[in-house]
Amino acid sequence: MPNTLEAQEKIESLKQQLNYHNYRYYVLDDPTIPDAEYDRLLQQLQELERSYPQLITADSPTQRVGEAPLSVFDQVVHEIPMLSLDNAFADQDLLDFDRRIRDRLKTDAEISYAAEPKLDGIAVSILYRNGVLERGATRGDGATGEDITQNVRTIPSIPLRLIGDDYPPVLEVRGEIYMPKAGFERLNQAARERGDKPFVNPRNAAAGSLRQLDSRITATRPLEMCAYSVGLVEGGEMPSRHTDVLYALNRWGLKINPEMAVAENISACMDYYRKLGEKRDRLPYDIDGIVFKVNDLSLQQKLGFVSRAPRWAVAYKFPAQEEMTRLLSVEFQVGRTGAVTPVARLEPVFVGGVTVSNATLHNRDEIQRLGVMVGDTVVVRRAGDVIPQVVSVVKSKRPADASSITFPDACPVCGSPVESVPGEAVARCTGGLICEAQRKEAIKHFASRKAMDIDGLGDKLVEQMVDQGLVHSVADLYRLQAAQVAGLERMGEKSAQNLVAALDKSKSTTLERFLFALGIREVGEATARALARHFGNLPALMAADEEQLQQVPDVGPVVAHFVAEFFQQEHTREAIVALQECGVHWSDLEVAARHEPLAGKTYVVTGSFELIKRDLAKKLLQDLGAKVAGSVSAKTHCVVVGGGAENNAKYVKARELGIETMDEEQLVTLLKEQGVFEG
Ligand code: D41
C-alpha cells in the first residue's frame, strides 16, 4: 500500500491520463489506447480511491454520476444573457442579412462568416472555474435557466476538467446538447420492445434526458455536446475570430462541430448551405439549419444586438422534418418475413425536403399508444434515410366522423392467420411463400444489388410479374423468355432482352451472395459471408445442426435456429435444386482458395494493444480463417497476450495447458506476413 503522498501523486497522474484519453475518444474521436487499457487505468484509480476516499475530487472521472437524485432544479440567472437567433428561410433573406451588416458597418468589403450546422438539441451553458466544471445550466428563456450540473457531468464529451494551461480562469462555454441519430434509434427501439413510450424525436429525447432529477438515468442516455460560443470570460486571452475561439475550446477539451468552416463572403455561405443540405441526411445527428456568424469578433462587437438577437448571426433553416397532415387511411403491408406493418396513407405533405404520402405506424402497439384514428390530423416526421413515421396525433383536431383502426387477424394478402408472439411487438402472416406479398418481397430481395444483383429487375417489375402470374418463385425468373417480358408495362423488346441477359449473367455468383439472396431470417450480408467462409460449400452448411452453426463467428442461438430451420424445410431444398437446375452456380473453390491459413485454429486475444486495435486484430485473425474465442480451454491453439496481461488469468491458464502464446509484436508480424495488415 503506497503512503498518502504517493497515492495522491498516482491519483493525479491517473486522472490526467484518463482525462486525456477520454478527450481523444469522445471529443476527437481518435483514441490512442485500446479500450482495455483505459479500463485498466480507470480500475487502478477506483482502487486507489477506495483506499483513500479523502483524495476523491469532483473532477475525477470516477465521479461523473451522482448518487443522490434531486427533488427540484435550482434556477440559474445567466450573468450574460444567452441570445437567440434570427431565422432566414430563403437566399434572399441571407442576402438581406449581409446587406444590413455592410450598411451598418458602412463598408463595401466582403464579410467573412463562420458557418456551422445548427444542431437540433438543447442550448446550455457550462461554467469552468480554474479549469474545473463548476456548473451546467439550460439556456431557458435566455435570462434564466435551470441548474443541470449533475446531469451535464454524466456526458462524456463534456470535460470535468479542461486540458492544457492557457484557458481563462473563468470560462463559460455555450453549446448544444443533442442525441445522435443512432443513439436515438437504439433508445427508441429498446423502448418499443419493452412496450414503453418511444421519444418523438432526438431533440425531445435529449430534453427529456436532461430533465431527469436522477442523473443515473441521464448517464444511460447517449448525449453529446458541441460548443458554439463563449459567454462569461475572465482573465486569460481569447482569439479575435469566432472560428479561432472554437478551435481554442477544442484544444481545451470541448467538442466542436467538425463541419465548421469559414465562408469568405455571402455567396460562399449559400454554397455551404447547399452542400450541407445535400449532406444533411447522412450526418450522424439532426440539424435544422446552418448558423452563419460574422467571424471577426470586433465587427460582432460593433454590430451589437436587437431585442435579444445578435445582428451578426442568422440561422438559415432547412425544410422542417416534422409537419402536420391528415391520415386518410391505414393499409397493412406484409414484408418478406411476414411482418404485418400498418402504413398510414396521408394527405401529401412536404417534410424534410420531400413530399411524403405514406408513413409507418410500426405495429399494433404503436397504433394503441398513439390512439390514432382515420381522419385525424397527425404529425409526420422524416429525418435522414429512415422511413417517415407518424409521431403524434393532434387530438384537438379530431373530426366527428373519425373512425378507429382495427388490426387484422387474417393476412390482408393471402388470408392466412396473423400470429403474434408474446413479448414481441411484430405480428406475422403465417402464410410463408403461399403468401403473394411474402413471395414478392422474397423475389425483390433475391434480385437486389447485394444479393444476385439482377440489373434492371426493380420492385415494380417484380410486382407486375407476380401479379400477372409470370413468376411464382425465384427460379421462375430464370425461365423467363424475352417475349414474355416484352409484353409488360414500360418494357420494350430491347429492355426485355437486356433483362434476360442480366438474368443470365447473375447465374454466375458466389456462395455468400447466394446465401444472402435466399433471405433467411436474420441473415444479412455479414452473416452470409461468415457462413460461406466457415462451411466452404452449401451441402456442408445445409447439413449443419444448430450447435455447429453456432461455431460460426457472430452466429448466436437465434440466428443458428433460423438457419437450421430454413434448410430443413422441404420447399427450401426444392427451391435450391430448382435454381441450380436453372444454371445458378458458384465455385466452392473460390471459398477454398481463399487464403485461410488459420482455418480450424482457435485464438484467444487478451491484454491491451498499442500497434493494432484489438477489435481489428480479432477481425483479421478471423479473416485468416481462425476462430476467436473469449476464453482459454484445451481447444485453444494460441493465446495472443497484449501488454498488461502477463499476470492475467488467460495467460496463466495458457501456460498451464501448454498452449502456444504470442505477444503483440509477433501477432503484428504474422498479420503483416499474411498481407492483411500494414501497420
Ligand atoms: O447549433 C446550434 N444549435 C447553435 C445555436 C449554434 N451552432 N450557434 C448558435 N449561436 C448562437 C449565438 C449566435 C447567439 C451565439 C446557437 C445559438 N445562439 C442558440 N441556440 C439556441 C438559441 C440560440
Side-chain angles (χ1 to χ4, degrees):
M1 181 84 58
N3 66 40
T4 312
L5 206 62
E6 283 166 2
Q8 185 156 22
E9 270 176 24
K10 185 72 192 158
I11 285 178
E12 273 316 312
S13 150
L14 284 168
K15 283 199 293 200
Q16 206 168 13
Q17 289 178 66
L18 284 159
N19 195 17
Y20 176 72
H21 292 302
N22 188 73
Y23 169 67
R24 299 286 325 184
Y25 189 91
Y26 287 104
V27 177
L28 301 184
D29 198 12
D30 182 23
T32 49
I33 58 164
D35 293 359
E37 176 69 5
Y38 184 91
D39 292 343
R40 203 169 59 84
L41 294 172
L42 188 64
Q43 218 174 330
Q44 277 184 31
L45 179 60
Q46 277 165 338
E47 275 162 26
L48 276 170
E49 286 182 341
R50 243 196 308 277
S51 308
Y52 299 91
Q54 73 275 22
L55 297 180
I56 299 176
T57 57
D59 65 346
S60 168
T62 61
Q63 305 297 307
R64 281 201 173 260
V65 188
E67 296 283 295
L70 304 173
S71 53
V72 59
F73 294 116
D74 288 337
Q75 297 265 309
V76 169
V77 176
H78 298 295
E79 198 153 325
I80 301 173
M82 292 183 75
L83 301 176
S84 59
L85 281 168
D86 273 341
N87 290 326
F89 296 99
D91 283 358
Q92 191 55 51
D93 298 341
L94 208 58
L95 291 169
D96 292 346
F97 163 75
D98 183 59
R99 169 99 338 254
R100 285 195 301 274
I101 285 173
R102 292 202 275 174
D103 285 351
R104 238 176 204 280
L105 295 174
K106 299 194 171 49
T107 176
D108 279 333
E110 290 184 336
I111 306 286
S112 172
Y113 294 97
E116 62 202 75
K118 183 167 184 296
L119 291 160
D120 204 2
I122 309 299
V124 295
S125 145
I126 315 285
L127 185 64
Y128 289 92
R129 197 177 298 276
N130 298 319
V132 178
L133 191 157
E134 181 171 282
R135 192 198 66 195
T138 59
R139 173 177 177 276
D141 64 5
T144 322
E146 284 179 324
D147 187 327
I148 52 163
T149 311
Q150 288 232 45
N151 290 343
V152 156
R153 291 175 59 87
T154 67
I155 300 173
S157 54
I158 300 180
L160 297 179
R161 166 178 276 285
L162 298 178
I163 288 170
D165 52 14
D166 60 338
Y167 47 75
V170 176
L171 175 66
E172 182 200 354
V173 179
R174 291 172 174 187
E176 198 86 356
I177 291 180
Y178 61 99
M179 189 178 286
K181 291 176 190 171
F184 168 74
E185 293 300 336
R186 240 181 291 122
L187 194 66
N188 264 4
Q189 188 62 32
R192 281 203 192 89
E193 277 166 18
R194 279 196 312 269
D196 285 355
K197 193 174 159 191
F199 288 104
V200 166
N201 56 42
R203 185 180 189 283
N204 283 22
S209 302
L210 287 181
R211 228 181 285 117
Q212 297 294 327
L213 289 164
D214 187 345
S215 68
R216 286 169 297 190
I217 298 177
T218 313
T220 66
R221 305 285 172 80
L223 298 172
E224 291 187 15
M225 182 183 96
C226 263
Y228 67 64
S229 76
V230 294
L232 189 64
V233 178
E234 285 175 12
E237 288 275 309
M238 288 300 273
S240 61
R241 300 197 318 164
H242 172 76
T243 40
D244 293 332
V245 169
L246 293 200
Y247 289 132
L249 293 181
N250 193 220
R251 272 196 298 113
W252 294 331
L254 290 135
K255 193 179 171 91
I256 61 172
N257 197 301
E259 306 294 337
M260 181 179 75
V262 176
E264 289 301 346
N265 53 43
I266 202 69
S267 100
C269 290
M270 291 189 270
D271 291 345
Y272 181 93
Y273 175 82
R274 263 175 265 299
K275 207 180 83 202
L276 261 286
E278 277 164 27
K279 204 171 169 185
R280 182 186 190 187
D281 284 356
R282 278 176 283 130
L283 292 174
Y285 41 78
D286 269 1
I287 62 176
D288 57 356
I290 303 293
V291 187
F292 295 107
K293 301 171 187 175
V294 172
N295 205 18
D296 184 324
L297 297 184
S298 64
L299 293 185
Q300 284 189 6
Q301 191 89 50
K302 280 189 195 147
L303 288 160
F305 53 90
V306 258
S307 65
R308 297 204 270 132
R311 286 199 187 86
W312 42 265
V314 71
Y316 189 0
K317 296 304 233 8
F318 286 133
Q321 291 180 317
E322 284 175 21
E323 291 290 353
M324 284 197 300
T325 188
R326 233 168 59 85
L327 176 62
L328 303 177
S329 64
V330 176
E331 272 177 30
F332 294 88
Q333 273 182 1
V334 183
R336 181 160 60 82
T337 60
V340 180
T341 306
V343 176
R345 302 276 177 234
L346 306 165
E347 194 135 303
V349 62
F350 191 70
V351 204
V354 301
T355 301
V356 166
S357 44
N358 301 311
T360 181
L361 280 162
H362 293 287
N363 52 48
R364 192 198 307 249
D365 293 352
E366 185 84 350
I367 294 177
Q368 279 260 309
R369 192 185 62 72
L370 290 166
V372 62
M373 295 172 83
V374 172
D376 268 338
T377 295
V378 295
V379 176
V380 184
R381 171 178 164 79
R382 194 203 82 99
D385 42 14
V386 252
I387 358 173
Q389 316 177 30
V390 172
V391 292
S392 63
V393 179
V394 189
K395 296 237 166 92
S396 61
K397 296 197 175 206
R398 175 167 292 166
D401 63 350
S403 58
S404 58
I405 300 162
T406 16
F407 202 91
D409 293 325
C411 172
V413 178
C414 72
S416 303
V418 167
E419 202 172 66
S420 301
V421 178
E424 262 186 49
V426 280
R428 285 178 207 282
C429 159
T430 52
L433 290 182
I434 296 164
C435 178
E436 194 169 290
Q438 292 188 49
R439 246 178 23 230
K440 278 181 184 169
E441 295 309 312
I443 296 170
K444 288 178 197 170
H445 173 76
F446 184 83
S448 64
R449 201 170 50 79
K450 289 174 175 170
M452 299 300 280
D453 194 18
I454 304 172
D455 210 24
L457 186 53
D459 290 0
K460 287 267 149 31
L461 203 52
V462 171
E463 289 187 13
Q464 275 193 68
M465 289 174 171
V466 176
D467 286 342
Q468 305 204 1
L470 280 183
V471 169
H472 292 93
S473 68
V474 285
D476 285 346
L477 290 172
Y478 293 108
R479 301 184 182 116
L480 284 168
Q481 306 290 319
Q484 293 173 296
V485 179
L488 295 169
E489 242 174 77
R490 272 180 294 176
M491 276 305 244
E493 207 134 299
K494 183 76 192 133
S495 37
Q497 272 164 13
N498 287 344
L499 180 63
V500 173
L503 278 159
D504 208 45
K505 185 168 159 231
S506 77
K507 288 179 189 170
S508 176
T509 186
T510 60
L511 179 56
E512 56 187 78
R513 270 182 182 276
F514 182 74
L515 289 176
F516 176 62
L518 290 175
I520 308 163
R521 243 175 99 185
E522 298 294 329
V523 176
E525 274 175 282
T527 309
R529 186 174 315 126
L531 290 169
R533 282 190 183 192
H534 185 87
F535 291 100
N537 62 64
L538 188 58
L541 169 60
M542 290 176 73
D545 62 22
E546 291 184 27
E547 199 178 316
Q548 289 165 324
L549 285 162
Q550 284 189 54
Q551 302 293 307
V552 181
D554 292 331
V555 172
V558 175
V559 178
H561 176 72
F562 284 136
V563 174
E565 187 184 54
F566 181 85
F567 285 116
Q568 268 153 30
Q569 283 167 16
E570 193 53 38
H571 71 84
T572 298
R573 291 172 176 266
E574 284 167 11
I576 289 171
V577 171
L579 284 166
Q580 288 180 316
E581 280 174 1
C582 288
V584 173
H585 67 279
W586 56 89
S587 150
D588 291 338
L589 276 180
E590 208 178 308
V591 178
R594 194 176 268 133
H595 195 53
E596 291 193 332
L598 304 183
K601 299 238 164 119
T602 301
Y603 277 63
V604 170
V605 180
T606 185
S608 63
F609 291 79
E610 275 161 17
L611 306 169
I612 183 169
K613 285 196 179 185
R614 205 157 85 152
D615 286 346
L616 179 62
K618 287 187 187 172
K619 185 188 163 291
L620 295 178
L621 286 169
Q622 284 168 354
D623 284 352
L624 292 172
K627 176 176 180 231
V628 178
S631 59
V632 178
S633 75
K635 289 188 209 147
T636 309
H637 293 91
C638 178
V639 179
V640 185
V641 188
E646 292 78 5
N647 292 317
N648 92 3
K650 289 176 191 168
Y651 182 57
V652 172
K653 187 154 180 198
R655 295 245 307 230
E656 273 171 22
L657 295 171
I659 293 167
E660 184 193 337
T661 62
M662 62 167 74
D663 64 17
E664 180 175 14
E665 235 166 81
Q666 290 170 306
L667 171 70
V668 167
T669 306
L670 168 77
L671 296 175
K672 282 184 181 167
E673 277 170 8
Q674 297 297 341
V676 291
F677 185 64
E678 294 190 337

